[in-house]
Amino acid sequence: MDGGRIGRDDNSVTYTPEQLEREIDIGLDRNISVDGVLDGPTNTNTGAAGPGTITTDDSDTYLTEFRDISRFGIIEVSGSDVYGRVIVCIYGIKLPPSYQLDHSRLLGYIKYTLDQYVETDYTLIYFHYGLTRDNKPSFQWLRQTYREFERKYKKNLKALYIVHPSHAVKLFWLFFKPFISGKFGKKVFQVHYIDELRDRLYLETLHIPDSVRAHDARVVARSKRLGGGPRPRSNEPTQTQQFGVSLQHIWDHNAGVLLPRVVKNSCEFIAQNGLQVVGIFRLSVAITNIKQVKLAFDLGARVNYFDHAEGPAASILAAAVLKSFLRELPQPLLTYELLPIIRDLYYGLNYEQFVREVANVVNERIPRRNAAIVAYIFDLLHKVVENSSHNKMTSNNVAIVIGPNLIWPAGETITLSTMGPINSFTQCLLDHYDTVFPSISVS
């Protein structure tokens, strides 16, 4: 995964906008498959949007103003990354021919989607494969888009991944880089193989079109023939492993203790040191720190977060590690089976009825050992909310960043229509903690 300088080594090469657009057109016509450009004609009729399509059932704006654009599935919300940040994906292959799309309205739709997330940290992924001369936006549109993306969109964008960049994209970046702030430029990463995202995202729940995966397989195969490609990974878990393994695996090797070590350690640390830390559970930390702590837990080592970060940053690190643990479970802590029930409650009941039923669901529909871990975590989250005058994390704020780490659809990504029920359910657990959890114990 590359950042920094991209393109030719001769930095004296410059292009006018007209020359650059002509070069990009040439690049799109070369059919260089290993660089993310289609081998042959594009099937721009991608049909209905795939899993993860933005479908806000209760949004008048979506239903009226942007329905004609949303049907293509060009932009989708796709769960969260290892930091708990919402992922927004844009797919080049889903762009229809330019004559079928009003690009000024596409820009409005992109901004409308991002407006729902820019107040918190988020990640943007652009899948370049499938962009051709027929469906690419104009250079002027791209320039206008960058100009219209004011500070609020850039401030909380923590990473922009460009997957399968072509020579044309690298040329585009070479031209644009002098006009982009250095701070923003450090957030941009070129990703040559999908597997390079594995350490930062949850690939199993990330919606990637089949055609993009097939292209990635061709890129990997060709790179391996040339002696490159992603490194193979071992899937055999160790006895002390905490991340990416089932709760049953942890229980089988935890000396009869119900709470996973990472949950107990992280919650205790935050309870003692982080309840008043501003933005706890929302702020991000360096991925190198998270990797170090995860490795220590997986090796069975004792972890003191102050050995990895100083002051409030240690508590923010503990919160990020806890979210990462929850999101890497093969099955969500609240279980796949609970999500349809939550949806039915959310869309079928008024709020008072919803609150009443939530307690029954937690106590009757979640496996007992899972419920005990949920109760333990929410004991901490409830304390965080009680300190919201200091940490600025209200029940709504906590629900937004925690909910997608507790439950997600099986074989799908989290869409906007799913996030509403999940966030409301999570907030209800926080607002009515004493009613929902009094009978659940971790003993």
Side-chain angles (χ1 to χ4, degrees):
M1 188 152 49
D2 300 330
R5 191 172 68 184
I6 300 171
R8 304 184 185 185
D9 292 332
D10 180 7
N11 287 332
S12 64
V13 177
T14 59
Y15 293 86
T16 66
E18 292 74 18
Q19 289 172 325
L20 179 65
E21 185 158 20
R22 185 165 61 252
E23 287 290 321
I24 291 175
D25 281 342
I26 294 172
L28 288 169
D29 286 339
R30 283 175 181 158
N31 297 328
I32 308 172
S33 63
V34 294
D35 285 319
V37 182
L38 288 175
D39 301 309
T42 308
N43 178 15
T44 54
N45 182 16
T46 56
T53 304
I54 298 169
T55 53
T56 46
D57 303 75
D58 55 348
S59 171
D60 291 338
T61 305
Y62 165 77
L63 290 174
T64 57
E65 186 175 351
F66 295 116
R67 178 180 290 246
D68 60 317
I69 298 177
S70 66
R71 66 189 175 93
F72 293 110
I74 300 166
I75 179 169
E76 300 179 357
V77 178
S78 197
S80 58
D81 62 14
V82 297
Y83 310 101
R85 304 182 300 221
V86 168
I87 298 172
V88 179
C89 296
I90 299 177
Y91 306 95
I93 199 166
K94 293 191 176 185
L95 280 167
S98 295
Y99 68 85
Q100 293 183 9
L101 184 66
D102 182 340
H103 285 91
S104 63
R105 285 173 44 71
L106 173 62
L107 175 57
Y109 180 54
I110 293 173
K111 292 174 69 175
Y112 160 71
T113 303
L114 295 180
D115 279 342
Q116 301 175 67
Y117 302 103
V118 295
E119 297 304 321
T120 59
D121 297 346
Y122 70 102
T123 293
L124 192 61
I125 307 176
Y126 167 57
F127 291 92
H128 179 66
Y129 175 76
L131 198 72
T132 69
R133 190 171 186 174
D134 293 332
N135 68 345
K136 76 173 182 69
S138 68
F139 178 81
Q140 288 75 17
W141 182 85
L142 294 172
R143 185 166 52 183
Q144 176 192 357
T145 297
Y146 181 77
R147 288 174 176 171
E148 289 202 20
F149 272 72
E150 57 211 65
R151 184 174 182 270
K152 73 172 185 175
Y153 297 103
K154 300 170 186 174
K155 176 185 175 184
N156 288 329
L157 173 65
K158 297 306 177 184
L160 167 58
Y161 299 109
I162 303 174
V163 182
H164 301 137
S166 66
H167 290 313
V169 168
K170 295 177 182 179
L171 201 59
F172 178 81
W173 179 253
L174 178 67
F175 177 85
F176 247 105
K177 194 173 182 182
F179 305 100
I180 294 175
S181 70
K183 187 175 181 180
F184 183 81
K186 291 178 181 178
K187 301 178 180 182
V188 180
F189 302 91
Q190 293 191 41
V191 180
H192 300 95
Y193 317 109
I194 291 174
D195 195 68
E196 293 180 32
L197 295 170
R198 186 174 298 279
D199 291 336
R200 304 187 179 208
L201 312 173
Y202 303 103
L203 293 182
E204 293 74 16
T205 57
L206 185 67
H207 172 53
I208 303 175
D210 291 342
S211 53
V212 176
R213 289 188 183 275
H215 169 73
D216 186 72
R218 293 193 296 271
V219 174
V220 171
R222 174 162 179 168
S223 296
K224 285 183 176 179
R225 290 196 297 270
L226 300 175
R231 297 177 181 176
R233 299 171 182 263
S234 173
N235 294 322
E236 189 66 30
T238 64
Q239 290 189 4
T240 57
Q241 189 165 335
Q242 298 280 289
F243 291 86
V245 296
S246 67
L247 287 173
Q248 188 62 55
H249 175 86
I250 294 175
W251 292 328
D252 289 344
H253 301 91
N254 207 28
V257 178
L258 175 64
L259 287 175
R261 288 181 294 108
V262 62
V263 173
K264 188 173 189 298
N265 186 309
S266 302
C267 288
E268 286 181 349
F269 187 89
I270 296 170
Q272 294 171 8
N273 304 282
L275 293 180
Q276 295 189 0
V277 172
V278 175
I280 188 72
F281 284 103
R282 184 184 70 84
L283 296 180
S284 303
V285 295
I287 190 170
T288 53
N289 287 2
I290 293 181
K291 284 183 176 180
Q292 289 173 359
V293 173
K294 289 170 63 175
L295 178 61
F297 275 118
D298 281 344
L299 293 175
R302 294 175 63 87
V303 173
N304 183 343
Y305 284 102
F306 282 131
D307 293 337
H308 300 272
E310 298 180 355
S315 296
I316 294 172
L317 175 60
V321 169
L322 178 60
K323 288 193 298 182
S324 183
F325 168 79
L326 294 171
R327 200 63 183 84
E328 291 184 34
L329 288 171
Q331 180 171 163
L333 183 60
L334 290 178
T335 74
Y336 289 129
E337 292 75 17
L338 194 66
L339 186 54
I341 298 173
I342 294 175
R343 283 173 172 160
D344 290 343
L345 294 179
Y346 178 79
Y347 289 113
L349 303 176
N350 60 40
Y351 183 72
E352 291 182 359
Q353 295 170 327
F354 181 75
V355 171
R356 264 196 317 270
E357 289 300 319
V358 163
N360 294 332
V361 165
V362 171
N363 286 277
E364 298 176 8
R365 299 299 188 103
I366 304 176
R368 189 167 186 80
R369 291 192 292 185
N370 291 51
I373 297 174
V374 172
Y376 185 82
I377 293 173
F378 271 83
D379 180 66
L380 170 68
L381 298 177
H382 180 63
K383 292 173 182 175
V384 169
V385 172
E386 287 182 327
N387 284 271
S388 61
S389 60
H390 299 282
N391 60 39
K392 312 303 180 186
M393 295 300 291
T394 62
S395 61
N396 179 63
N397 292 339
V398 172
I400 289 172
V401 296
I402 287 293
N405 299 291
L406 294 171
I407 190 168
W408 55 87
E412 302 177 24
T413 54
I414 298 180
T415 67
L416 285 179
S417 59
T418 301
M419 290 181 75
I422 290 175
N423 292 345
S424 293
F425 182 83
T426 307
Q427 184 173 353
C428 184
L429 298 183
L430 292 166
D431 289 341
H432 302 277
Y433 171 82
D434 294 331
T435 302
V436 175
F437 292 108
S439 61
I440 300 177
S441 170
V442 297
S443 59

